[in-house]
Amino acid sequence: MAVVTEDFTEFPAPEAEDAVPPSSAPEADDGPLGWDGYGAARQRARERTGERESVISGTARIDGVPTVLISFEFGFLGGSLGERTGDRLVAAYTRARELRLPVVSLIATGGSRMQEGMRALTQLQRVAAQSALTRAAGLPQIAVVRDPTTGGGWATLGAGADVVLALPGAQIGFAGSRVRPADADPYAYSAEGQLAAGQIDAIVPPDRLRTTLGRWLGLLAVGAGAAGTGAVGPGAVGPGTTGRPTVPGPAASGPGEPLPTEPPPAESLPVSSEPAAPGPAGAAPPPPPPPHALGSSALPASGWAAVCAARDERRPRAAAYLDAYFDWREEISGDRCGGTDTGIRCGFGRRDGRTTAFAAQCGTAVRPAGFRTAARLIRLADRLGIPVLTLVDTPGAANDPDAERAGAGAAIADVFAALTSVRTPVTSLLIGEGGSGGALALAAPGALWATPDSYFSVIAPESAAAILKRDANAVRDTADQLRLRPTDLLDLGIIQGIVPPASSE
């Protein structure tokens, strides 16, 4: 705990625990099963650690951000979860909701306490219920998994958190070291293996943990502390905030005509007719402005010219746009279903004192894990009342056999469902290739903009020509017929406007 905070105030023990004074011969209490020697083992654990249970909790400031902090003491019976552990965790989550504070869990546990049998195992249901209530309250949960984190502790506080950070080399898995198959690959149960499998978001060394937690809390705790305090979080509209942002507007529709450099009022940015997710003090967050174009300002004269401009290797990709747009950011990783995809970047960033979530395609074919990661990001942002920016840039969804076996269709459907059902505002910018449904999945309905060096098409011109049995020379004409240029998209009502480069000083 000292690694992440120097400002910690422990919660009082739950009433049920206080009803049994520490001096009342605890070694004689062998628990609900009457497990011989259990009471004596607990007493030795108390003497060794100075703690009365395997978990302590209280309020803390982590890098200046107030939070409810839960920390496991592995030296107390292996950090195992028993009935009194469950009481403490329930009390901590309840207090977090009362105070409207985020929850950070420092986990090191071997799982449920065998000496309490099913009474211990059912604590996982209590913890899962508290996590769900806290999630529904719009409060973020961040887990730091230490060595080891196994069993029910991993399956509830760990894997159930919104953001999962791990210490290097930590042993992580539902199966503990003594119950795995004899020939099990130890890498699969390591922090590094779990990161590769999309189960955790990042591996953070101890000397960077406090700063990293502080950054994540600063990004996600948009609604924290709002109840009864009048606090305004980083994604809020209220006193001390700058109000609605301004956004670039539509360009002239003719090829070769200059793009406007002065944006119209922000009210011109279309937003969903659905009520937005409440932020701090009940205010809906404003929609994020689309980024300025980073590439050429010249509008393509033909459909094929638009395709070539979008496919140009020199064109700025997602990383450049994210660097230019955000003051700083943190990224999530993985779909929590066994996969990761470098073709999409998802996370949260700070811009002008506000938090915005982002899901950015990187110009490659997006795999099912990438779509599932984007859906995870969008739903988390919606639950926390944080607006979303999506950057569209892909030739299409991956279509190889492995992608089909991994559920490409279901993953794309999940993103469509997430993006069309969110209450928080979403802004989308087409920054390159808009390849069919794989690109459309990340395009917000009614809030899509485009850069001059982009295109959007129902199908690639080459594929359309092949289906229509046209020869290779007809590809360029087919591109024109598809009306895929930014100006065509504007005329068709597909996009709201063409964003210009930033004004030159």
Side-chain angles (χ1 to χ4, degrees):
M1 184 180 296
V3 172
V4 301
T5 185
E6 296 168 353
D7 183 0
F8 176 74
T9 303
E10 187 172 357
F11 291 142
E15 291 182 6
E17 187 176 321
D18 270 346
V20 182
S23 59
S24 62
E27 67 274 6
D29 178 10
D30 286 333
L33 305 185
W35 190 287
D36 187 31
Y38 176 42
R42 290 209 313 278
Q43 179 60 21
R44 289 193 299 271
R46 288 176 181 138
E47 294 171 354
R48 182 171 57 252
T49 65
E51 303 295 344
R52 294 176 61 184
E53 251 303 335
S54 61
V55 161
I56 60 173
S57 62
T59 55
R61 286 187 176 273
I62 299 178
D63 216 24
V65 183
T67 183
V68 165
L69 182 62
I70 296 170
S71 182
F72 280 71
E73 172 54 73
F74 190 76
F76 194 105
L77 301 180
S80 57
L81 282 76
E83 281 191 279
R84 291 181 182 173
T85 322
D87 291 340
R88 288 186 170 214
L89 292 171
V90 168
Y93 273 106
T94 301
R95 195 70 181 121
R97 292 194 298 275
E98 292 171 350
L99 298 172
R100 291 207 56 79
L101 292 178
V103 177
V104 173
S105 300
L106 309 178
I107 311 170
T109 175
S112 298
R113 193 169 296 171
M114 294 181 296
Q115 297 92 330
E116 294 186 20
M118 285 300 299
R119 294 277 284 273
L121 187 66
T122 55
Q123 301 309 305
L124 304 183
Q125 295 172 320
R126 298 179 70 196
V127 174
Q130 290 298 315
S131 178
L133 289 171
T134 304
R135 188 178 300 117
L139 298 172
Q141 300 170 63
I142 302 175
V144 177
V145 286
R146 298 145 60 201
D147 184 34
T149 297
T150 60
W154 166 239
T156 50
L157 291 105
D162 299 317
V163 175
V164 183
L165 309 176
L167 296 184
Q171 179 187 171
I172 306 168
F174 186 65
S177 60
R178 298 183 182 180
V179 296
R180 299 170 191 158
D183 59 349
D185 179 6
Y187 180 74
Y189 305 89
S190 68
E192 292 73 17
Q194 295 285 13
L195 179 64
Q199 304 297 345
I200 65 175
D201 292 294
I203 297 174
V204 183
D207 61 351
R208 289 176 43 209
L209 188 56
R210 183 183 300 196
T211 299
T212 301
L213 279 173
R215 286 165 66 94
W216 271 113
L217 288 166
L219 288 168
L220 299 185
V222 172
T229 68
V232 179
V237 178
T241 66
T242 57
R244 294 175 63 87
T246 57
V247 298
S253 58
E257 296 183 28
L259 293 172
T261 57
E262 293 299 322
E267 284 70 16
S268 65
L269 178 63
V271 296
S272 170
S273 60
E274 296 296 321
H292 285 287
L294 298 181
S296 171
S297 62
L299 292 166
S302 68
W304 185 246
V307 172
C308 292
R311 292 177 180 175
D312 191 329
E313 294 182 355
R314 297 167 295 179
R315 174 181 58 81
R317 263 47 178 194
Y321 277 91
L322 295 175
D323 287 344
Y325 192 80
F326 290 110
D327 300 323
W328 55 272
R329 65 184 189 274
E330 293 286 342
E331 297 192 14
I332 65 171
S333 176
D335 63 357
R336 299 299 186 264
C337 297
T340 60
D341 181 12
T342 57
I344 193 163
R345 301 179 72 162
C346 298
F348 296 82
R350 185 63 62 86
R351 172 186 168 89
D352 296 333
R354 299 176 181 274
T355 298
T356 298
F358 62 87
Q361 294 173 330
C362 298
T364 59
V366 180
R367 306 201 66 78
F371 288 115
R372 285 191 288 263
T373 303
R376 174 190 159 212
L377 179 283
I378 292 165
R379 290 193 173 102
L380 174 57
D382 187 43
R383 176 156 46 81
L384 299 179
I386 297 173
V388 179
L389 170 71
T390 68
L391 301 181
V392 180
D393 184 12
T394 178
N399 58 8
D400 56 273
D402 285 344
E404 291 298 335
R405 283 189 287 266
I412 295 170
D414 196 29
V415 181
F416 272 125
L419 202 56
T420 56
S421 62
V422 294
R423 300 160 296 161
T424 196
V426 183
T427 299
S428 297
L429 177 64
L430 175 66
I431 64 170
E433 291 196 80
S436 195
L440 189 67
L442 257 69
L448 174 64
W449 301 70
T451 61
D453 50 356
S454 66
Y455 78 89
F456 215 139
S457 179
V458 64
I459 190 173
E462 298 91 338
S463 298
I467 291 172
L468 297 172
K469 298 182 178 179
R470 297 175 175 175
D471 60 39
N473 295 327
V475 170
R476 298 189 178 199
D477 291 338
T478 303
D480 288 334
Q481 288 181 289
L482 287 169
R483 298 201 65 191
L484 46 72
R485 298 175 303 164
T487 48
D488 296 325
L489 300 173
L490 187 61
D491 290 343
L492 293 169
I494 304 301
I495 63 174
Q496 304 306 302
I498 304 170
V499 297
S503 302
S504 58
E505 297 296 333

